[in-house]
Amino acid sequence: MLGGKLSIKYEDSQALPQQGVIGMNKLVNVEKVPYVLSAFTGVSKAISGVATRSKTVAVNGGGVGPDLAELGEFFWNVIPLANFEVKAILPYMVKEKNLKKFVLVYVDDPLGQSIQKEMASELPKIGGQLVESLSVPATAQQFSGIAARVRAANPDAIYIASYGSQQLQIIKQFRDNGIKQPLASYTAFSVPEVNTLPEAMGAYYTTQMIDWNSQDPVTKRFVDDYKKKYNKMPTAYIANYYNAVRVFALLTRELRKKGKPITGENLLQQRKETRTFDLIGGNVTFAENGTVIAPMQINEIDGKGGKTLAVVQ
């Protein structure tokens, strides 16, 4: 598509905002890249200022804090944000599963805080109740005290807003401490480490809708090539970053046809001119604020990569 080799420069944010800014500055000022991939809500918010000042496109495929939709025109999201995920799963759990009383356990960072705000706002509207919100530091790995508070609250379900090794420890330690209620979360539960965890079986989680068995050429090629190389199915996160790179390729191809240089400003302008993008899962449209508009699906962990329970348009 590009008629040449696409090279990628890597900098490790360590999931920390300060390290993210250091890496972003190097990529922009030393490597002179026009297009950067980002992850984590806190890191993404931190680097967005650098993206705006330098007119470099930054694309998030992992963080889901709703305020990531408000970081300026050079910051884009190829993942539906947490407000869409929460609004998709709560009505299903309350109305379809009759789970009305929720405890939220959330990491004390911009992601967790945004999900707490969204749940407190949305649950009363649909006949649910947030009976307890329990925040944990991003570095915490011991949760027996939190588990005791969850047991005392006696909810119908527990929503976990965390990521990485922390969410694994929360799940394991909750089950070890006798908590039997259903668990729920956002896209973070789609990773193989959670999907194959015995203690996570039956948990609910949301992702953007992707039909892995689709015969559309883009999705089929991606799934077939990924399975051939890694001998396993891809996850939503892997699809997000594939899509982010594919968006760059599609925009770059059009800019080259016009004889325009590949700059952040030109990529932004071309994105605004391109109404839809043929990506994994079908055609995707960007909203004016650079956020994708996509249907959501509700999944259940079954030890085999998750099964889809419902689709929310």
Side-chain angles (χ1 to χ4, degrees):
M1 189 184 294
L2 296 177
K5 184 178 180 181
L6 176 66
S7 62
I8 304 178
K9 304 291 184 180
Y10 294 96
E11 292 294 328
D12 185 6
S13 73
Q14 301 172 35
L16 299 172
Q18 185 176 0
Q19 291 300 123
V21 171
I22 291 171
M24 182 68 170
N25 275 315
K26 182 178 178 184
L27 291 171
V28 169
N29 298 320
V30 179
E31 304 291 354
K32 307 293 185 183
V33 301
Y35 192 89
V36 175
L37 305 182
S38 176
F40 299 102
T41 299
V43 172
S44 295
K45 291 177 72 173
I47 70 166
S48 65
V50 180
T52 298
R53 289 192 298 273
S54 62
K55 297 182 178 179
T56 303
V57 173
V59 184
N60 161 54
V64 295
D67 45 0
L68 296 182
E70 303 166 2
L71 299 182
E73 61 181 1
F74 284 94
F75 191 91
W76 310 349
N77 297 282
V78 292
I79 181 174
L81 301 180
N83 48 334
F84 292 102
E85 298 213 34
V86 170
K87 286 176 180 175
I89 199 169
L90 291 184
Y92 177 84
M93 296 185 72
V94 171
K95 296 174 182 178
E96 299 295 324
K97 297 297 181 180
N98 200 34
L99 303 169
K100 299 184 183 299
K101 293 168 57 183
F102 285 75
V103 163
L104 168 65
V105 179
Y106 67 98
V107 61
D108 191 12
D109 72 358
L111 161 71
Q113 293 156 11
S114 65
I115 289 180
Q116 193 279 333
K117 182 179 178 181
E118 200 69 35
M119 289 187 68
S121 169
E122 290 301 310
L123 276 170
K125 299 176 184 177
I126 57 174
Q129 182 183 4
L130 185 59
V131 294
E132 185 86 79
S133 294
L134 303 170
S135 68
V136 297
T139 55
Q141 292 291 318
Q142 300 298 322
F143 303 103
S144 57
I146 295 290
R149 294 179 65 181
V150 172
R151 286 199 308 272
N154 193 30
D156 298 326
I158 299 109
Y159 193 103
I160 298 171
S162 180
Y163 44 79
S165 62
Q166 185 181 76
Q167 68 180 357
L168 298 175
Q169 290 302 321
I170 293 173
I171 296 167
K172 288 179 181 178
Q173 292 177 39
F174 277 16
R175 294 309 191 210
D176 288 345
N177 279 274
I179 294 173
K180 302 184 185 304
Q181 290 96 327
L183 305 177
S185 190
Y186 67 107
T187 306
F189 266 26
S190 70
V191 298
E193 292 82 0
V194 175
N195 251 263
T196 56
L197 190 68
E199 294 89 344
M201 292 302 109
Y204 305 112
Y205 65 97
T206 41
T207 60
Q208 67 264 47
M209 187 183 75
I210 300 176
D211 179 5
W212 299 114
N213 297 312
S214 172
Q215 294 303 300
D216 86 81
V218 176
T219 304
K220 188 174 188 311
R221 177 187 173 187
F222 166 71
V223 173
D224 289 349
D225 286 357
Y226 189 87
K227 286 167 63 178
K228 182 178 179 181
K229 184 168 184 177
Y230 297 106
N231 196 32
K232 60 182 179 181
M233 287 293 291
T235 68
Y237 284 125
I238 295 166
N240 291 342
Y241 286 98
Y242 184 97
N243 280 341
V245 176
R246 183 169 168 82
V247 166
F248 173 79
L250 292 169
L251 295 175
T252 296
R253 181 175 64 181
E254 295 307 307
L255 290 176
R256 283 189 165 175
K257 287 179 183 177
K258 298 176 180 179
K260 292 185 176 181
I262 313 304
T263 65
E265 288 180 286
N266 286 341
L267 289 165
L268 172 62
Q269 183 58 42
Q270 186 60 46
R271 194 214 80 201
K272 291 180 176 180
E273 293 177 13
T274 306
R275 297 191 61 84
T276 60
F277 293 84
D278 191 13
L279 304 180
I280 297 168
N283 288 333
V284 169
T285 302
F286 280 91
E288 215 33 59
N289 62 8
T291 299
V292 292
I293 301 170
M296 304 297 301
Q297 65 186 39
I298 299 163
N299 313 282
E300 181 181 353
I301 293 177
D302 60 357
K304 303 174 184 178
K307 64 179 179 181
T308 302
L309 301 176
V311 173
V312 181
Q313 297 291 338

